[in-house]
Amino acid sequence: MGTTDSDRDRDRDRDRDRDSEVQYVRFQSPHRNSRGHFTGVFGLVNNLAREGRLSDEQETFRRGGNRWYDAAYTDPSTVDPHVYDDEINPGAAAWFKPSATHLLARVSGYLEILSSHGVDCRALRSADPGRVIYEDDVQIVVVPHAPEATAAHENSHGRK
């Protein structure tokens, strides 16, 4: 029995649906921090700044970049002060929506800073990173489905 036109159409539709599946994006450390979470790209760079490890040029970039991001999108904790409360939402983490290209385009400068200091940062992509507890036009904040779930979505190798 051969393949029918309807079989080919169904397979084509299934492949198109899979290819069009929303893939949220997160940049984070591959290592858990002291609280057991995976620090995101901005937190990693801010930690270097707090430790006094950034060059003047890197600090200028960080401050300007942080100001730009603060103006470009909402901090979820200003909408819901409990969004990152570990007792209510354990392991809550923000993920960019793929449509947030204007935000994603500027992450590379943060990644360059981390790389120059030997700090690993991984790009993760997932259609379902966890239970959504906050959403706006450019991001979601999720509680991972399982403790290792965020690490399981790893999509690229660490930067050194």
Side-chain angles (χ1 to χ4, degrees):
M1 190 170 197
T3 303
T4 66
D5 287 342
S6 63
D7 290 336
R8 280 191 292 275
D9 290 344
R10 185 188 65 241
D11 290 346
R12 185 188 65 238
D13 290 345
R14 185 191 66 233
D15 290 344
R16 183 178 50 234
D17 290 345
R18 186 182 63 232
D19 291 342
S20 66
E21 196 172 304
V22 173
Q23 291 284 304
Y24 299 103
V25 181
R26 177 168 168 80
F27 298 89
Q28 70 178 29
S29 172
H31 312 290
R32 291 184 184 279
N33 62 25
S34 61
R35 293 185 350 199
H37 304 300
F38 298 96
T39 305
V41 62
F42 303 119
L44 291 170
V45 172
N46 289 337
N47 287 344
L48 289 173
R50 273 191 290 281
E51 295 167 2
R53 296 177 52 196
L54 299 183
S55 69
D56 290 343
E57 180 181 336
Q58 290 170 334
E59 179 61 13
T60 298
F61 172 86
R62 183 192 72 85
R63 286 182 185 203
N66 286 359
R67 275 193 306 274
W68 184 87
Y69 276 105
D70 288 345
Y73 74 105
T74 302
D75 174 348
S77 64
T78 63
V79 176
D80 177 0
H82 304 291
V83 72
Y84 294 113
D85 183 316
D86 218 25
E87 290 184 24
I88 299 170
N89 298 311
W95 291 68
F96 289 110
K97 289 183 173 179
S99 58
T101 54
H102 64 295
L103 301 175
L104 290 164
R106 291 182 174 236
V107 171
S108 62
Y110 288 83
L111 296 175
E112 289 171 17
I113 290 172
L114 295 173
S115 179
S116 73
H117 289 274
V119 176
D120 288 342
C121 189
R122 305 266 167 95
L124 309 179
R125 298 185 192 292
S126 176
D128 184 19
R131 178 176 53 87
V132 176
I133 56 172
Y134 172 87
E135 182 171 9
D136 63 31
D137 59 330
V138 295
Q139 66 185 325
I140 60 172
V141 177
V142 304
V143 173
H145 292 299
E148 296 301 320
T150 304
H153 294 293
E154 186 173 311
N155 189 32
S156 68
H157 299 291
R159 297 176 170 265
K160 290 220 175 201

